[in-house]
């Protein structure tokens, strides 16, 4: 049971617990997790007795670990550098536990250490395990936690809980995701498992539900009668950033579409949930995923595009090609760009194409969803001479967090020509610049036992089911891999895919 239904209420609601981070010497810990924990502590949202234990292979003292984490906070926290008082308070409760992930002794000594910390800080057996390792380690760690009795809840201690956050990628395909689910479920009940997708921690993504269901005027037109098509773009202006080894085994379809873009799609396309309860929302999201029409190999050929960036330059700066990246096979066919047109076969969306695209080294960084409405009939203004466009509602997730509606306005002057203009709502203007990082919200929700913003087992499996159909054809070279220059919008085939039906990708930034 969640301790409260909504995490961000501005007061301390969380009970003290131990957060154990597996893979504590990795990038994610210093760039995201510790800065998030630091900000939560500083803002008074974590209980002051909360302790953090980093678990990793390399030998290190508690003090060395604290110094490294301080560096991380100073470099990556949204509020930086760290303030002495809150940092010192957190550092006192920050520990390092050295062990390989396979070593049963390491988990036995972890159990002893956690029991001591329970006593010292009154944690009552409340533990959040964060799997921030390579996915190859997930099942070993979970198995070892189970063997050491760290997965079970003490039946005589009703205050205790054990939860596990699993980082992405969750599996490599449907079969491996199912296997991983089975392995995890041998130790943890589904209610204890928190599969993370950091996009769900973004305020603007959460606002999708508020936008749709807290306003009366959009829902009546949010369907096939009024919507021509929907575009979801997650564009990055960076490459693989030293993660070539991992990325080359994944590709953009698995790394981005299977999770982040599918999540955005479900939030846009779902029916109103019966409540804001985690399962009510996730039931509706799963329904969307299950309504996506399966792809035949011929449809994969005509409705998807895959691309890879080559060597080039952006704004005078030389960019190495994907094949030259460290950890990438020189013969790699892995895509750094993916575009997919899919169809949702239900009463609301029948006949409305959804276009999803994502890529690295594209022209701009930006995650946006645009809803393109049917054009007004042509007799009055909607003629080539008068220049009216379709109404487009754009939900800008990042970095220009805003919502814009494109409308047609009469151009000043004596003619009756119209021109598309933007009505814009900017988050920072309305609410100031405070915006907690995605990991802050997600960590706090997990501590509070609210799994709404985490991915349920059937959700992750349904998403893989669609991705697998595409991957099967891509694996045999259909459609062929296309190449694109860094700083472009990806292969032109993605534009052609739209043009075939007289549509265009939304240009941004606007
Ligand atoms: C991660 C991917 O999940 O999301 C990365 O593994 C990608 O490849 C990142 O760069 C993008 O996240 P954001 O929040 O910067 O859009």
């Amino acid at each position: 049971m969640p301790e409260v239904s909504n995490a961000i209420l501005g007061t301390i609601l969380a009970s003290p617990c131990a957060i154990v981070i597996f893979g504590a010497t990795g990038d994610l810990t210093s760039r995201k997790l510790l800065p998030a924990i630091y900000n939560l502590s500083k803002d008074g949202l974590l209980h002051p007795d909360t302790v953090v234990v980093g678990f990793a292979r390399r030998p290190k003292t508690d003090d060395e670990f604290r110094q490294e984490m301080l560096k991380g906070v100073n470099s990556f926290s949204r509020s930086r550098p760290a303030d002495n008082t809150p940092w010192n308070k957190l550092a006192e409760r920050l520990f390092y536990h050295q062990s390989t992930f396979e070593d049963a002794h390491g988990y036995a000594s972890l159990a002893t250490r956690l029991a001591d910390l329970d006593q010292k800080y009154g944690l009552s057996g409340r533990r959040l395990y964060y799997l921030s390792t390579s996915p190859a380690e997930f099942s070993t760690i979970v198995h070892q936690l189970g063997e050491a009795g760290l997965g079970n809840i003490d039946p005589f201690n009703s205050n205790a809980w054990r939860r596990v956050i699993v980082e992405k990628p969750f599996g490599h395909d449907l079969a491996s995701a199912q296997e991983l689910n089975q392995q995890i479920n041998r130790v943890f009940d589904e209610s204890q498992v928190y599969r993370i997708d950091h996009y769900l921690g973004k305020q603007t993504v959460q606002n999708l539900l508020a936008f749709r269901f807290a306003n009366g005027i959009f829902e009546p037109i949010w369907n096939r009668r009024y919507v021509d098509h929907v575009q979801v773009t997650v564009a990055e202006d960076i490459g693989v950033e030293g993660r070539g080894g991992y990325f080359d085994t994944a590709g953009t379809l698995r790394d981005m579409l299977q999770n982040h873009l599918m999540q955005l799609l479900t939030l846009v396309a779902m029916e109103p949930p019966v409540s804001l309860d985690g399962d009510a929302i996730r039931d509706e999201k799963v329904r969307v995923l299950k309504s996506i029409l399966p792809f035949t190999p011929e449809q994969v050929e005509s409705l998807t595009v895959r691309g890879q960036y080559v060597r080039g330059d952006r704004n005078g700066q030389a960019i190495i090609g994907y094949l030259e990246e460290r950890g990438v096979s020189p013969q790699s066919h892995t895509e750094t760009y993916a575009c997919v047109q899919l169809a949702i076969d239900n009463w609301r969306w029948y006949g409305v194409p959804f276009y999803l695209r994502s890529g690295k080294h594209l022209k701009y960084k930006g995650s946006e969803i645009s809803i393109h409405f049917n054009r007004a009939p042509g007799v009055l203004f909607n003629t080539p001479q008068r220049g009216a466009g379709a109404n487009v509602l754009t939900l800008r997730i990042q970095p220009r967090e805003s919502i814009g509606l494109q409308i047609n306005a009469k151009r000043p002057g004596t003619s009756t020509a119209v021109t598309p203009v933007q009505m814009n709502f900017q988050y920072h203007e309305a609410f100031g610049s405070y915006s907690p990082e995605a990991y802050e919200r997600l960590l706090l929700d997990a501590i509070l036992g609210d799994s709404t913003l985490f991915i349920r087992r059937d959700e992750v499996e349904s998403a893989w089911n669609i991705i697998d159909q595409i991957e099967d054809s891509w694996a045999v070279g259909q459609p062929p891999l296309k190449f694109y220059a860094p700083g472009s919008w990806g292969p032109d085939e993605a534009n052609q895919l739209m043009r075939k039906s007289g549509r265009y990708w939304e240009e941004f930034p606007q």
Side-chain angles (χ1 to χ4, degrees), residues 40 68 90 104 125 195 197 205 225 232 236 285 312 381 391-392 446 454 477 486 506:
L40 287 172
E68 282 173 21
L90 174 62
R195 296 174 195 81
D197 181 321
V205 172
R225 292 177 61 201
V232 181
E236 294 187 274
K285 286 162 69 191
F381 293 101
N391 296 122
V392 181
F454 292 84
E506 189 65 8

Side-chain angles (χ1 to χ4, degrees), residues 168 198-199 202 236 243 255-256 260 360 365 398:
K168 68 172 279 273
H198 77 276
Y199 263 61
K202 295 181 192 273
E236 294 187 274
R243 293 160 71 231
D255 184 52
M256 300 295 288
H260 308 324
K360 301 223 178 263
K365 174 178 175 63
Q398 63 180 26

Side-chain angles (χ1 to χ4, degrees), residues 76-336:
F76 303 111
S77 163
R78 66 178 163 82
S79 56
R80 58 177 185 258
D83 285 348
N84 281 339
T85 314
W87 170 257
N88 290 340
K89 270 197 201 148
L90 174 62
E92 279 168 21
R93 291 170 285 109
L94 187 55
F95 306 98
Y96 187 73
H97 193 82
Q98 190 267 324
S99 168
T100 64
F101 299 125
E102 297 77 26
D103 183 8
H105 299 297
Y107 292 82
S109 53
L110 176 69
T112 312
R113 196 160 187 186
L114 289 175
D116 290 347
L117 292 168
D118 273 355
Q119 286 296 317
K120 182 163 177 197
Y121 293 101
L123 308 179
S124 302
R126 288 181 284 262
R127 287 168 200 167
L128 178 64
Y129 305 117
Y130 199 116
L131 306 191
S132 166
T133 61
S134 121
E137 314 283 3
F138 291 167
S139 52
T140 308
I141 297 168
V142 168
H143 173 74
Q144 291 291 357
L145 284 171
E147 293 293 293
L150 288 165
N152 305 327
I153 297 170
D154 175 356
F156 300 108
N157 181 351
S158 59
N159 292 323
W161 48 252
R162 308 283 152 86
R163 295 176 190 139
V164 59
I165 300 186
V166 190
E167 256 301 329
K168 68 172 279 273
F170 195 93
H172 185 74
D173 51 19
L174 176 58
S176 56
Q178 284 172 327
E179 198 183 324
L180 181 57
N181 275 327
Q182 277 165 13
Q183 285 161 344
I184 293 177
N185 288 155
R186 273 186 215 127
V187 178
F188 294 101
D189 178 72
E190 179 61 22
S191 63
Q192 295 172 278
V193 185
Y194 291 67
R195 296 174 195 81
I196 211 162
D197 181 321
H198 77 276
Y199 263 61
L200 293 183
K202 295 181 192 273
Q203 300 289 313
T204 42
V205 172
Q206 291 154 29
N207 189 49
L208 275 166
L209 289 185
F211 180 81
R212 286 191 57 194
F213 304 125
N215 295 294
I217 62 171
F218 299 109
E219 211 38 36
I221 55 169
W222 209 261
N223 57 50
R224 58 191 289 264
R225 292 177 61 201
Y226 297 92
V227 176
D228 175 72
H229 73 281
V230 177
Q231 301 182 12
V232 181
T233 297
V234 175
E236 294 187 274
D237 57 3
I238 52 170
V240 291
E241 301 291 290
R243 293 160 71 231
Y246 149 72
F247 193 86
D248 208 34
T249 62
T252 299
L253 194 60
R254 293 188 171 101
D255 184 52
M256 300 295 288
L257 270 82
Q258 189 273 343
N259 37 76
H260 308 324
L261 281 91
M262 284 291 184
Q263 285 299 318
L264 297 178
L265 168 85
T266 56
L267 292 170
V268 170
M270 67 189 252
E271 296 300 316
V274 289
S275 74
L276 289 180
D277 174 73
D279 275 331
I281 294 176
R282 293 182 299 178
D283 285 348
E284 296 305 336
K285 286 162 69 191
V286 170
R287 280 194 188 113
V288 173
L289 293 169
K290 291 200 166 150
S291 308
I292 294 176
L293 277 179
F295 285 87
T296 61
E298 293 70 34
Q299 285 167 330
V300 175
E301 180 112 41
S302 60
L303 301 178
T304 71
V305 177
R306 59 195 187 113
Q308 191 183 76
Y309 63 83
V310 294
R311 173 190 278 259
D313 79 286
R314 99 179 290 141
N315 309 325
Q317 197 203 336
I319 305 285
I320 58 168
Y322 176 68
L323 296 183
E324 300 164 79
E325 298 273 6
R326 198 158 42 87
V328 170
S329 151
Q331 285 84 39
S332 174
H333 276 76
T334 299
E335 78 288 355
T336 58

Side-chain angles (χ1 to χ4, degrees), residues 253 257 293-307 335 337-343 354-357 466-467 469-475 477-482 491-498 500 505:
L253 194 60
L257 270 82
L293 277 179
F295 285 87
T296 61
E298 293 70 34
Q299 285 167 330
V300 175
E301 180 112 41
S302 60
L303 301 178
T304 71
V305 177
R306 59 195 187 113
E335 78 288 355
Y337 174 96
C339 166
V340 171
Q341 175 185 337
L342 44 80
F354 283 72
Y355 298 92
L356 275 49
R357 65 173 171 168
I466 301 150
I467 296 299
Q469 295 160 16
I470 302 171
E471 288 288 356
D472 286 349
S473 290
W474 286 16
Q478 282 168 334
L481 182 67
K482 301 290 172 187
D492 190 49
E493 280 71 10
N495 297 326
Q496 291 166 22
L497 178 68
M498 290 287 236
K500 277 193 289 202
W505 286 106

